[in-house]
Amino acid sequence: MQTAIVRPLTRLQTSKFMIRLCAFAVVIALSSVAFAQTDNWIGNNGVWSDPTQWNLGVPMPGDNIVIGSAAANATDDFNLSVGTLTLSNTGDTLVIPDGVSLAVTSSVSNAGSMQMNSAGTNTFLMLNGNVSLTGNGTLALSSVGPNIVEGASGAGTEVLTNASTINGAGNIGNGPSGHCR
């Protein structure tokens, strides 16, 4: 009878393998969280919380948002902080309704219409850092306030560089905000 000699893995070899395997799994799991994704609005009319209106599902904090269908009418129906915000076409509309806060960290490129529609509850467009508002679009603040465009840090260091049209009733730079250029 022949005896097979099997050399078992040493404890050290097994633990090194498990550490590498776990590290690889963590890197894969966190890779989608670590990088902002671009979430494109693919619907016509609807609310941001409807996953069928987006190519990647409901936007997550830090995502770059693109509303780029020919005549989108999108309503941000929940508080969110995004990286960039883009309205690509003149017919694209983004509504920030009563009581909702939308924070932007990088830039807003607006070829369409952004509407802050406060009906008596604070409605915010928050600036995280130095934010540029560019494009030929408009930021319309409803005649009923408070519609507030201000800094998110509370330190008063944010700067809004505006190259668009802002009209209506509201406050720009109210409270914890830097200044507007």
Side-chain angles (χ1 to χ4, degrees):
M1 175 157 135
Q2 292 187 344
T3 307
I5 299 176
V6 177
R7 186 180 294 172
L9 290 175
T10 66
R11 209 176 265 242
L12 181 60
Q13 288 173 324
T14 303
S15 50
K16 281 183 180 179
F17 173 76
M18 290 306 292
I19 289 170
R20 288 182 183 143
L21 181 62
C22 289
F24 178 74
V26 167
V27 167
I28 295 300
L30 294 178
S31 65
S32 65
V33 175
F35 301 102
Q37 299 184 53
T38 298
D39 205 353
N40 293 285
W41 179 267
I42 56 174
N44 290 320
N45 297 316
V47 294
W48 280 23
S49 61
D50 180 355
T52 65
Q53 301 287 351
W54 299 96
N55 72 316
L56 297 178
V58 176
M60 302 296 292
D63 280 355
N64 297 315
I65 302 299
V66 176
I67 299 171
S69 59
N73 187 0
T75 299
D76 176 8
D77 60 335
F78 62 96
N79 297 337
L80 184 64
S81 179
V82 300
T84 61
L85 174 63
T86 303
L87 279 75
S88 301
N89 300 294
T90 57
D92 293 336
T93 300
L94 169 62
V95 176
I96 306 170
D98 188 49
V100 172
S101 175
L102 176 62
V104 180
T105 300
S106 185
S107 65
V108 178
S109 177
N110 180 15
S113 172
M114 294 174 56
Q115 301 171 6
M116 295 180 69
N117 287 345
S118 177
T121 306
N122 289 346
T123 302
F124 289 98
L125 178 58
M126 304 293 287
L127 310 176
N128 290 323
N130 297 335
V131 177
S132 295
L133 176 58
T134 61
N136 293 322
T138 60
L139 172 58
L141 305 135
S142 67
S143 61
V144 177
N147 295 293
I148 303 167
V149 179
E150 71 177 15
S153 74
T157 58
E158 288 83 1
V159 175
L160 170 64
T161 303
N162 181 40
S164 291
T165 301
I166 301 175
N167 58 38
N171 297 317
I172 299 175
N174 181 37
S177 179
H179 57 280
C180 186
R181 292 187 201 173

